[in-house]
Amino acid sequence: TAPIVIEETRGKKAYCQCGLSAKLPYCDGSHSRQSTGLGPLVIEVEEAGKRAVCQCHRSKNQPWCDGTHKTPA
């Protein structure tokens, strides 16, 4: 449930939302193979830099972590 901290680069990114990707935090298509009904969150990263990618999927600032994982569900 903790975020994955990465050194992100600029460009179009597809972040995993199903949690099954072997390449977390990025999508590898596992959602299709496992028929999860979920798809990736695709965004354009404008600036390179250190990022914390949300893994609890409750952040109000997806795909970035806002600390929500520290609060009770």
Side-chain angles (χ1 to χ4, degrees), residues 2-67:
I4 296 175
V5 178
I6 57 173
E7 195 62 42
E8 190 56 279
T9 58
R10 293 178 59 191
K12 191 179 228 180
K13 309 295 177 176
Y15 294 103
C16 175
Q17 297 296 291
C18 74
L20 300 174
S21 175
K23 297 180 179 181
L24 287 174
Y26 305 107
C27 177
D28 69 358
S30 291
H31 65 278
S32 292
R33 292 187 294 278
Q34 301 292 327
S35 299
T36 65
L38 298 171
L41 177 60
V42 180
I43 67 162
E44 184 75 28
V45 176
E46 301 291 331
E47 293 184 31
K50 190 179 231 179
R51 300 283 195 280
V53 182
C54 176
Q55 294 300 291
C56 77
H57 308 291
R58 296 185 304 152
S59 172
K60 290 181 178 54
N61 190 30
Q62 289 286 352
W64 316 127
C65 176
D66 66 2

